[in-house]
């Protein structure tokens, strides 16, 4: 069952809501080791106290939604590293519990969003930025179904279906969401006006618009410059609240495991994003609590 706080969808109908920032960069800032292919999932397994501390840092910065450390937790990837199915299920449950504890300790209302990352995330090779894995919609649905069920059993407020690179994977995820009836947001990763796999954005957003489970749709884990064109494409096909939580403009090199960062990134045009329909706004990779606090001070229409 969802946690006992007001539905996020109701808040989004009234005002803008502030998301948290990148979990992995905050864990790294806390001195955690994210090497080995499991990324934040490794910290979830080995140092759950640090995951809760990261969530708490974002809540203290004013974040109203905390996204769990389950993005890269998949049964197959964890089995390859010695975790049996029951252990992986327990980790998925733990991810929700840690975020919920941080939310409950906050001095303002905070929702917990259980992260459902793309199939490519568990490959740990940057595949989520390419998509088109060679799997059918049915195969992708079979991959996502058990971990969505496990996350829902832990009682988050909403599912964060995020960093989705193509419409095929979105279709698979929406199929599973329809089976569960659970509320979710759906967020694509985009570049140059198309999905990361190169598909047209209007068709991708239209898929989400047709799903009664989707409470918001938009983009994440992308260059800030790609946000506004994507929001406008989404607004053309849906009346749902939109969302945006981009990176800082850096580009991830999966081969070297490094970020390439622009020297002087421009400020985010929050007013324009809000005018285009964005109501759920925060940050993704390399956006920390200090950035979220600054966003919160600038975000239009944030409070009731």
């Amino acid at each position: 069952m969802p946690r006992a706080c007001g539905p996020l969808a109701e808040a989004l109908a009234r005002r803008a809501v502030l998301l948290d920032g990148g979990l992995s960069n905050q864990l790294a800032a806390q001195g955690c080791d994210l090497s080995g292919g499991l990324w934040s999932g490794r910290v979830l397994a080995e140092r759950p106290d640090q995951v809760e501390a990261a969530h708490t840092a974002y809540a203290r910065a004013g974040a109203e939604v905390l996204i769990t450390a389950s993005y890269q937790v998949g049964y197959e990837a964890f089995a390859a590293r010695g975790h049996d199915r029951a252990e992986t299920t327990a980790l998925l449950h733990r991810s929700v519990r840690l975020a919920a504890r941080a939310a409950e300790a906050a001095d303002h209302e905070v929702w917990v969003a259980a992260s459902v990352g793309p199939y490519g995330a568990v490959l740990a090779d940057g595949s989520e930025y390419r998509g088109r894995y060679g799997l059918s919609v049915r195969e992708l649905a079979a991959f996502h179904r058990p971990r969505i069920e496990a996350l829902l059993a832990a009682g988050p407020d909403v599912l964060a279906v995020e960093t989705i690179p193509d419409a095929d994977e979105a279709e698979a995820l929406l199929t599973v969401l329809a089976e569960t009836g659970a509320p979710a947001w759906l967020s694509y990763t985009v570049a140059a006006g198309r999905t990361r796999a190169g598909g047209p954005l209007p068709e991708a957003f239209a898929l989400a618009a047709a799903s009664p489970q989707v409470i918001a749709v938009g983009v994440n884990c992308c260059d800030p410059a790609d946000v506004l064109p994507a929001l406008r494409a989404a607004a053309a096909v849906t009346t749902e609240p939109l969302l945006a939580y981009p990176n800082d403009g850096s580009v991830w090199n999966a081969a070297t495991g490094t970020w390439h960062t622009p020297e002087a990134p421009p400020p985010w045009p929050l007013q324009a994003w809000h005018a285009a329909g964005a109501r759920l706004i925060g940050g993704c990779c390399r956006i920390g609590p200090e950035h979220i606090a600054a966003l919160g001070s600038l975000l239009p229409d944030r409070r009731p």
Side-chain angles (χ1 to χ4, degrees):
M1 296 296 291
R3 294 168 55 252
C5 64
L8 177 59
E10 292 179 8
L12 292 175
R14 300 191 310 270
R15 61 180 179 88
V17 173
L18 184 64
L19 272 168
D20 61 5
L23 182 60
S24 61
N25 48 266
Q26 179 58 21
L27 291 173
Q30 293 170 193
C32 298
D33 186 354
L34 282 75
S35 64
L38 295 180
W39 203 29
S40 56
R42 174 177 178 177
V43 186
L44 177 66
E46 298 176 358
R47 295 294 308 276
D49 59 314
Q50 290 295 315
V51 174
E52 184 174 352
H55 289 315
T56 297
Y58 282 115
R60 288 175 176 166
E64 298 172 272
V65 182
L66 301 176
I67 303 174
T68 65
S70 51
Y71 175 83
Q72 206 153 359
V73 180
Y75 286 99
E76 294 82 355
F78 273 69
R81 292 165 175 85
H83 296 267
D84 65 26
R85 196 169 188 82
E87 290 171 335
T88 302
T89 297
L91 287 175
L92 290 166
H93 291 177
R94 175 187 288 177
S95 72
V96 176
R97 187 168 64 250
L98 293 172
R101 286 211 300 246
E104 289 160 3
D107 62 2
H108 57 281
E109 187 171 44
V110 178
W111 292 273
V112 171
S115 176
V116 180
Y119 176 82
V122 304
L123 302 179
D125 62 358
S127 291
E128 63 264 52
Y129 301 115
R130 299 188 295 272
R132 304 290 170 86
Y133 319 110
L135 300 178
S136 67
V137 170
R138 182 174 180 178
E139 289 170 324
L140 287 168
F143 167 80
H144 285 293
R145 186 174 288 109
R147 64 187 187 136
I148 286 177
E149 291 173 348
L151 287 167
L152 288 174
D157 298 300
V158 65
L159 294 174
V161 179
E162 55 181 355
T163 326
I164 306 305
D166 59 48
D168 286 349
E169 188 159 21
E171 182 181 349
L173 284 155
L174 291 169
T175 297
V176 179
L177 290 178
E179 296 167 0
T180 67
W185 76 64
L186 193 148
S187 184
Y188 290 97
T189 179
V190 300
R194 302 181 74 82
T195 68
R196 287 282 189 160
L201 287 182
E203 292 179 16
F205 288 130
L207 277 176
S211 170
Q213 279 72 52
V214 174
I215 66 167
V217 63
V219 295
N220 78 292
C221 210
C222 62
D223 191 300
D226 287 317
V227 169
L228 187 56
L231 292 176
R232 289 171 173 164
V237 296
T238 182
T239 58
E240 293 293 344
L242 305 183
L243 63 91
Y245 53 113
N247 301 332
D248 68 347
S250 300
V251 176
W252 173 250
N253 186 323
T256 62
T258 57
W259 287 97
H260 300 282
T261 306
E263 291 185 5
W268 292 3
L270 293 180
Q271 297 284 346
W273 295 356
H274 187 266
R279 295 296 179 269
L280 193 57
I281 300 176
C284 201
C285 300
R286 298 173 69 82
I287 300 297
E290 68 281 7
H291 301 102
I292 295 304
L295 282 179
S297 68
L298 298 172
L299 197 58
D301 190 33
R302 182 181 166 199
R303 295 299 179 187

